[in-house]
Amino acid sequence: MEPDKHPELVVPELVERELGWSRDAALQWLLTQAEQCRDMLIGIDMSAALPFADAGAYFPGWDKSPPDAKSLWKLVSDICADDPHLSATSFVAHAAAYEYFRHSGYLGSQYGVAKSGRLRIVEQHSRLQRLANPYSSLNLVGAAQVGKSSLTCMRVLHRVNSKIPVWPFDPIPETGPLIVEIYTSIAAVAAGLRRGRTKIRDRQALDRALHTLDSKTAAPLLHYDDHKTDALITTAWLAKASRDRLLWSPKAMSAKIATTEGWTFGVF
């Protein structure tokens, strides 16, 4: 699939599920897209890997620290094999891994000296460019925690990666689906929303945002909340941004970073 030849999204549309979406259901949906070889760019709002470049390892000092992201996904999946619903409880409770995370009431001895914790290169660039204000994926506490969701998503990526490539860990395919890591806030700002005030909960504001992204309006929703509008805005943004070749070749993303830390699509 050529990045600049993605078909323009005419109308973004929510994929609803009567019983709601669970991790297992989302995994099966992804596998269905792979089986059908659908040309699709799939954005997932999570950290696809942990910090590596700052210390030369995900878990410096631990002899089981993996050499690359795909090995990290496997390690998390193996330790959490018995955790239901693709959760990652066993990993953050693991005797060795425990010390690298910030837990409720306990700061791991290897968490990092900075209050915000260790950051990936792409997260540092996001802050410098004021594209987003990411927190460390080793943080498991509070509203800003992204560690748990990222670790559970690594289990999903481990399951689907033999079927669906994940950028930039894999080459961009000629056809079929491709997964990229995203920040919904980047899409929201591109849609004309102010930084720090990127949540939409009404139809009029959603229509204005989609228009800014050169997308037609979405079908009316029974209920407007920021989760649904985030998904619609990000879908429209991906359709437009994916045609920008510069976003697929960030200058700061070396080959080593691409295999260990990955990158957030839209950070240049």
Side-chain angles (χ1 to χ4, degrees):
M1 113 184 8
E2 289 287 341
D4 61 341
K5 292 184 179 178
H6 286 177
E8 184 175 351
L9 186 64
V10 177
V11 181
E13 180 181 356
L14 285 177
V15 179
E16 303 275 16
R17 186 170 181 268
E18 186 176 353
L19 299 177
W21 286 99
S22 64
R23 296 189 191 106
D24 292 296
L27 171 61
Q28 291 306 312
W29 185 87
L30 288 171
L31 292 174
T32 298
Q33 311 315 305
E35 290 171 0
Q36 297 175 354
C37 200
R38 298 188 62 186
D39 290 340
M40 178 181 295
L41 186 60
I42 302 165
I44 301 182
D45 188 5
M46 51 83 209
S47 296
L50 300 176
F52 187 101
D54 64 335
Y58 298 116
F59 309 108
W62 184 17
D63 60 359
K64 289 189 177 180
S65 184
D68 53 49
K70 292 191 178 185
S71 300
L72 173 63
W73 302 345
K74 184 178 186 303
L75 177 66
V76 173
S77 296
D78 288 348
I79 291 176
C80 301
D82 295 328
D83 288 7
H85 312 303
L86 294 169
S87 63
T89 305
S90 294
F91 191 80
V92 297
H94 186 275
Y98 192 84
E99 292 298 324
Y100 296 87
F101 292 90
R102 179 190 177 197
H103 306 264
S104 179
Y106 179 76
L107 186 66
S109 60
Q110 302 295 322
Y111 177 69
V113 294
K115 181 179 179 181
S116 59
R118 296 169 60 199
L119 296 173
R120 296 182 298 157
I121 297 299
V122 68
E123 292 159 352
Q124 296 174 31
H125 275 260
S126 297
R127 287 190 169 192
L128 288 173
Q129 297 170 10
R130 299 186 66 191
L131 292 172
N133 187 31
Y135 283 75
S136 174
S137 48
L138 298 169
N139 176 37
L140 307 175
V141 180
Q145 76 86 13
V146 293
K148 294 175 184 176
S149 59
S150 294
L151 290 168
T152 58
C153 192
M154 289 177 200
R155 294 192 64 187
V156 174
L157 295 178
H158 180 65
R159 294 276 194 95
V160 304
N161 193 228
S162 62
K163 308 286 186 182
I164 304 177
V166 182
W167 180 84
F169 311 103
D170 299 303
I172 298 172
E174 291 294 329
T175 60
L178 173 68
I179 293 174
V180 296
E181 172 186 332
I182 58 168
Y183 292 145
T184 57
S185 59
I186 292 179
V189 171
L193 302 179
R194 291 171 54 191
R195 288 182 176 85
R197 303 188 67 178
T198 59
K199 299 304 180 184
I200 285 179
R201 298 179 179 86
D202 65 85
R203 181 178 180 178
Q204 290 73 23
L206 174 61
D207 288 350
R208 287 194 298 270
L210 293 176
H211 177 74
T212 301
L213 294 170
D214 302 324
S215 172
K216 292 186 177 181
T217 57
L221 304 176
L222 293 177
H223 172 68
Y224 287 81
D225 60 50
D226 54 290
H227 300 292
K228 294 178 180 179
T229 58
D230 272 356
L232 291 166
I233 291 170
T234 305
T235 298
W237 171 74
L238 275 173
K240 182 177 182 179
S242 62
R243 297 191 292 274
D244 185 346
R245 285 186 171 274
L246 294 178
L247 296 182
W248 295 97
S249 302
K251 292 182 178 180
M253 187 183 72
S254 66
K256 183 69 172 180
I257 290 172
T259 58
T260 55
E261 293 192 341
W263 203 261
T264 307
F265 184 74
V267 179
F268 46 90

